[in-house]
Amino acid sequence: MKRIDSHKTHKLHIRKGDKVVVISGSYKGKEGEVKEVLPKKYAAIVEGVNLAKKHTKPTADNPGGINEIELPIHLSNLMLVDPKTGGATRVGRRKEGDKSVRYSKKSGEIIK
């Protein structure tokens, strides 16, 4: 994955806790909640998406074995789920008073 090594960071359309749908790749159509956003990699870790097996040695805390972990997925492959219709939607920004809020381009509803 290509890193963005600029002092400026892009305005991300996805945040932690958002419900997203994968629009391309082997997990296309799968929905999940964003666990973590990695702005430097322009990627996110989504629950139940982009799984890989990790072999761990047993320790005092961990019995070890083969575990499935979620790997980061590029933000260009993710779209936010519209809170009203339940489908994929683009995200817009507009001023409400003195705050900037995200809204769904499909339904116009504000995204928390």
Side-chain angles (χ1 to χ4, degrees):
M1 226 183 291
K2 197 171 187 180
R3 284 191 66 168
I4 300 169
D5 288 329
S6 172
H7 67 282
K8 293 181 180 180
T9 57
H10 293 288
K11 198 75 139 169
L12 306 178
H13 62 283
I14 290 172
R15 291 184 189 161
K16 182 179 175 181
D18 283 347
K19 186 130 172 115
V20 294
V21 63
V22 180
I23 58 170
S24 68
S26 58
Y27 288 92
K28 182 177 180 175
K30 194 144 187 187
E31 289 186 18
E33 190 176 316
V34 176
K35 285 181 161 182
E36 186 181 351
V37 177
L38 310 166
K40 293 239 186 212
K41 288 186 175 181
Y42 204 66
I45 296 174
V46 181
E47 192 174 316
V49 174
N50 204 16
L51 299 172
K53 298 212 185 278
K54 181 163 176 79
H55 298 253
T56 54
K57 274 190 165 183
T59 62
D61 307 333
N62 186 7
I66 303 169
N67 303 322
E68 280 197 334
I69 60 164
E70 288 113 2
L71 296 177
I73 185 166
H74 201 266
L75 290 181
S76 66
N77 297 329
L78 300 174
M79 270 185 111
L80 206 69
V81 172
D82 190 0
K84 198 172 192 178
T85 63
T89 182
R90 290 182 308 214
V91 179
R93 292 177 187 278
R94 66 176 170 225
K95 290 275 188 184
E96 297 248 335
D98 59 341
K99 286 192 171 185
S100 176
V101 293
R102 297 182 305 157
Y103 71 96
S104 164
K105 291 265 192 168
K106 199 174 259 187
S107 66
E109 197 165 313
I110 292 176
I111 301 161
K112 291 185 187 180

